[in-house]
Amino acid sequence: MEKVETIIEPESTESNWKEIGNLAFQEKKYEEAVKAYTEGLKITPSDVSILSNRAITYLNLEFFSLALSDTETVLKIDPTHTKAMYRKVKALIGGKKYEPAIQFVLKNNHKDILNSYTPEKNLGEKLLAEATKLAEQSQFGNYNMAEIIKEQTFEHQVADFNIPLAAEVFKGYGRGLVVTEKIEGGELIIGSKAFAFIVERKHREMKPPPPEGTLPEIEDYSVDRTVAKKSLVEAIVEKVKKKKAPEETPVLYTLHAGVKLGNLSLDDSLNSADMERIIKIVDCNALCTNGRMTYGFKELMYGLWLFPSFINHSCYNGNCKWHMHGDFLVIRALRTIMPGEELRMSYISPGESLKTRQELLAPYEINCSCNLCQFQANESS
């Protein structure tokens, strides 16, 4: 049977547009669904059913501000519209407005109305717990790391957190982050969800065992970073083009983009997809790690985190260390760090040879002169 494509054709009533939108939504053609719902609203702007449906479509597209706007319009017309209440909370959470989400659930009898929603029991309690958990993460860095690790997934619902830090410009190499309060060794400095994140896998070929008395061949299971980089760039371009992160995209373009392109400020940063700049931003800021060899394949995780990208590199003289849990990046202090001290971390493993480190740091346009690099360079010469 041939697949029937959704075709949007002009209709005269809002119910026809709603039906077309619902069909497109069921087929996960969210852009087409939005177009249909919007056409229906041109005929009847106050149709709460279409507004609510467009809101959930916006949520699926991660257009949280637009989803919030539609839900608020619905609730002005019908203050007890349960679906709109639920979708408003999800839009607030998606937009990282955790405290307003909490206050909305607790306002008047909203929690009771949500709890009475038939398809899902105690919905109000669940939404309140979700928003409270994220609010505590963003304010205090209260991450349940055991739970995050146990999830064994690459995508985590976490809020961003950082201790008080100041951005400064350093002569000779540009911007960096400076500590404003004393940090003890092991203390959490930053918890950050990736702006974009991908996983590349290389499967292990099953081969017969070697002849008795001989050693197996050494095989290369490493994943090509060039392929991973291409996938990450494509993910960022898609996110920027579809305007999924309107507040974060200007920050993206302030990241270092190499000597040739230089840096942009928030005032002159872009909102469109500048491919050349995005490629250099990935080169100079993305973090990459080869995961464990399990279940017959090796994973390479590659991501771009905005705020952590302002931390500069040092192979040996770093005072903090990053660890990747899927798209969630954790940065902790390696030792006591005093106020006024710049944060430094090694983008790559210091255990690699000098030659390998230099090759891996080349895309970052980094010529590291830390104590380890100087010592090994002098030793080899």
Side-chain angles (χ1 to χ4, degrees):
M1 180 181 293
E2 292 185 2
K3 183 178 179 181
V4 178
E5 296 291 334
T6 303
I7 300 175
I8 296 181
E9 297 178 350
E11 298 289 345
S12 58
T13 66
E14 71 277 7
S15 61
N16 289 330
W17 284 115
K18 179 183 176 182
E19 185 178 342
I20 293 170
N22 290 348
L23 178 60
F25 182 89
Q26 290 168 11
E27 295 177 352
K28 298 185 178 180
K29 297 178 179 178
Y30 300 124
E31 290 88 352
E32 291 186 14
V34 166
K35 290 179 183 177
Y37 293 141
T38 302
E39 289 298 322
L41 290 168
K42 288 179 181 178
I43 300 170
T44 312
S46 59
D47 189 312
V48 294
S49 179
I50 297 179
L51 281 164
S52 181
N53 286 1
R54 191 171 69 171
I56 188 64
T57 310
Y58 280 143
L59 285 175
N60 278 276
L61 289 168
E62 298 182 25
F63 295 170
F64 300 115
S65 60
L66 294 174
L68 180 61
S69 177
D70 276 356
T71 59
E72 289 180 336
T73 301
V74 172
L75 292 171
K76 285 178 183 177
I77 301 168
D78 180 1
T80 61
H81 194 288
T82 312
K83 287 184 178 180
M85 292 173 66
Y86 166 73
R87 289 162 188 174
K88 177 174 180 175
V89 178
K90 296 302 286 186
L92 287 168
I93 290 174
K96 303 181 180 180
K97 299 175 181 178
Y98 309 122
E99 287 298 332
I102 293 170
Q103 294 307 315
F104 178 78
V105 175
L106 294 176
K107 184 179 179 180
N108 300 329
N109 61 339
H110 289 176
K111 188 170 70 170
D112 293 335
I113 295 173
L114 288 164
N115 281 337
S116 64
Y117 185 54
T118 305
E120 187 171 347
K121 293 182 179 179
N122 299 320
L123 182 58
E125 296 289 351
K126 292 175 182 178
L127 288 172
L128 182 61
E130 179 183 351
T132 301
K133 174 183 173 181
L134 292 167
E136 291 179 351
Q137 289 177 353
S138 66
Q139 293 175 28
F140 311 111
N142 289 350
Y143 300 106
N144 186 333
M145 294 308 301
E147 182 181 283
I148 289 172
I149 294 169
K150 187 178 179 181
E151 286 176 354
Q152 293 187 336
T153 181
F154 295 114
E155 295 184 16
H156 301 280
Q157 186 188 35
V158 288
D160 291 338
F161 164 82
N162 62 268
I163 63 169
L165 299 167
E168 287 191 16
V169 177
F170 295 91
K171 186 177 180 180
Y173 58 88
R175 299 169 300 183
L177 294 180
V178 172
V179 172
T180 60
E181 300 175 359
K182 182 180 178 181
I183 305 173
E184 300 294 343
E187 187 176 339
L188 177 66
I189 299 174
I190 294 174
S192 178
K193 186 174 174 68
F195 179 83
F197 177 84
I198 62 97
V199 179
E200 291 288 343
R201 289 177 171 176
K202 184 172 182 180
H203 289 269
R204 179 177 182 178
E205 295 181 13
M206 299 303 294
K207 295 184 177 181
E212 187 176 351
T214 62
L215 296 174
E217 294 181 9
I218 298 176
E219 300 180 59
D220 180 16
Y221 297 122
S222 61
V223 184
D224 188 350
R225 290 194 178 210
T226 305
V227 175
K229 173 188 167 182
K230 182 175 182 292
S231 298
L232 182 60
V233 168
E234 289 173 349
I236 294 171
V237 169
E238 180 184 12
K239 189 168 185 175
V240 173
K241 279 186 175 180
K242 292 188 175 181
K243 303 185 186 305
K244 286 189 174 182
E247 295 180 358
E248 293 180 326
T249 297
V251 179
L252 166 74
Y253 281 125
T254 66
L255 299 183
H256 183 59
V259 175
K260 180 182 176 182
L261 296 179
N263 302 328
L264 297 177
S265 68
L266 280 174
D267 294 330
D268 57 13
S269 62
L270 310 170
N271 283 303
S272 57
D274 183 334
M275 179 67 80
E276 182 183 11
R277 183 169 288 275
I278 288 174
I279 289 172
K280 287 305 297 180
I281 286 172
V282 168
D283 281 339
C284 296
N285 299 278
L287 295 174
C288 178
T289 180
N290 278 312
R292 61 195 180 281
M293 184 72 181
T294 54
Y295 304 109
F297 60 83
K298 191 165 188 178
E299 300 161 343
L300 183 146
M301 296 186 289
Y302 206 9
L304 181 69
W305 289 264
L306 299 184
F307 192 55
S309 293
F310 290 96
I311 300 178
N312 288 311
H313 167 84
S314 176
C315 295
Y316 180 74
N317 299 332
N319 49 22
C320 58
K321 181 178 176 62
W322 59 272
H323 192 84
M324 199 183 293
H325 300 277
D327 66 352
F328 179 49
L329 191 75
V330 173
I331 300 176
R332 293 186 180 275
L334 288 172
R335 56 170 174 78
T336 301
I337 308 175
M338 302 304 293
E341 192 173 346
E342 183 192 1
L343 289 178
R344 289 290 192 108
M345 67 183 188
S346 182
Y347 297 169
I348 59 174
S349 172
E352 301 284 1
S353 67
L354 176 62
K355 181 181 178 183
T356 300
R357 293 203 310 275
Q358 289 173 338
E359 291 173 350
L360 293 173
L361 289 172
Y364 292 96
E365 297 187 8
I366 292 175
N367 183 17
C368 187
S369 58
C370 71
N371 293 349
L372 177 63
C373 289
Q374 290 187 52
F375 174 79
Q376 291 181 330
N378 293 332
E379 189 177 47
S380 62
S381 62

